[in-house]
Amino acid sequence: MATIAASAASLQLKSFKDDLFAYPALLSSSDNGAYRVVDYREMRDINQRDEIPERRAHGRYVALGVRRQQQDLSLDGIPNVAVGETSGARVITVYLHGQGGSRKQGVDDFTFGGNFNRIKNLMAENGGLYLSPDFPDFGEAGVDTVATLIGHYAERSPGAPVFVACGSMGGALCYRLADDPSIVPRLGGLLLLGSMWNDGFVKSAAFKARVPLFLGQGSRDTVFPVASQEAFFRSVLAAAPNYPVRMVRFETGTHGTPIRMTDWRETLNWMLSVR
């Protein structure tokens, strides 16, 4: 754990298209900045950002040279797309898709406003590794598959903090990993993007290890209501007032908004600084 923490503390991700991906106007903030309400507008953040709304971002939001560092691989029968350094990485980010998704979602350069292209470039430009795997389900088989994948790549990059970002139903795996003794010492942070809450988190190994937690939620999410996620955020701070947790509420945003709008660089650099 000390090795991971020391590695994280010495690393900050370099800028990549920050002017395009920084949050729009901040509407309000509380808890010393841990809770923020960010302005979101569909006309601006989808219709003006995308050449084809929700399908293809304008070219200025992407940099396709990163595809040269992208590989479609199979590890013990686990299909996964890897971008960047598959060994000797300084940092590792893993994206776990939601219901109906696949490994392809997390490496699509043009959907979600180009935000997956940005995380691919952030990892590649900073000597890191980005992974987007397939997995069989959101239960035991799924978490075993993801844990095997993380373990394999983490062993090839000793000391690299591992950030796991879970979209929607993928959050079930994030919370299972939070109590996996083989994974928690490697974690640099957990990101829940338009996902669920878990009241058992405050009893987990990740909570005890003070693994940073990010919650991004649209205020009009009808799958996982924002009020429940806000209550979860409050419960984490109630259990540990100084816990490294942040929540961003995207005002008027819907279920997929956090995947489109979360500022990867700001969030990961914050996690790196507090680990």
Side-chain angles (χ1 to χ4, degrees), residues 47-262:
N47 292 18
Q48 292 181 22
R49 183 165 165 178
D50 291 358
E51 182 180 341
I52 304 174
E54 298 188 334
R55 294 182 60 186
R56 187 177 183 87
H58 282 291
R60 64 182 178 275
Y61 287 90
V62 302
L64 300 181
V66 73
R67 289 179 175 176
R68 292 192 294 269
Q69 299 187 53
Q70 181 169 313
Q71 304 175 71
D72 207 342
L73 304 173
S74 180
L75 170 68
D76 296 333
I78 305 169
N80 65 98
V81 183
V83 183
E85 306 292 337
T86 55
S87 63
R90 299 174 68 201
V91 57
I92 299 172
T93 300
V94 184
Y95 174 73
L96 304 179
H97 64 76
Q99 193 74 45
S102 74
R103 69 188 186 282
K104 295 179 181 179
Q105 182 191 64
V107 290
D108 192 312
D109 293 296
F110 289 100
T111 57
F112 293 99
N115 214 14
F116 283 124
N117 180 266
R118 189 186 190 212
I119 185 59
K120 286 162 59 175
N121 275 282
L122 282 170
M123 290 297 100
E125 292 295 319
N126 288 277
L129 171 65
Y130 176 68
L131 297 167
S132 182
D134 282 339
F135 42 87
D137 59 30
F138 299 99
E140 291 293 339
V143 78
D144 288 348
T145 296
V146 174
T148 297
L149 186 83
I150 291 175
H152 170 81
Y153 285 108
E155 286 177 8
R156 299 179 68 177
S157 298
V162 179
F163 300 96
V164 184
C166 297
S168 187
M169 190 64 189
L173 296 179
C174 258
Y175 290 120
R176 286 178 180 269
L177 292 169
D179 232 359
D180 187 322
S182 70
I183 298 300
V184 170
R186 306 180 188 275
L187 289 178
L190 295 171
L191 295 79
L192 282 299
L193 308 177
S195 190
M196 62 192 67
W197 47 92
N198 186 324
D199 293 337
F201 178 75
V202 296
K203 298 180 181 178
S204 71
F207 180 82
K208 294 173 184 175
R210 295 182 61 81
V211 172
L213 178 67
F214 174 84
L215 308 170
Q217 209 78 6
S219 70
R220 294 181 180 174
D221 189 332
T222 58
V223 180
F224 298 117
V226 69
S228 297
Q229 192 68 292
E230 288 171 331
F232 172 59
F233 167 78
R234 297 290 170 200
S235 73
V236 173
L237 286 180
N242 295 317
Y243 194 83
V245 58
R246 282 185 173 182
M247 179 168 181
V248 173
R249 169 179 170 138
F250 296 98
E251 197 61 35
T252 78
T254 55
H255 187 53
T257 299
I259 296 177
R260 168 179 287 266
M261 298 297 295
T262 292

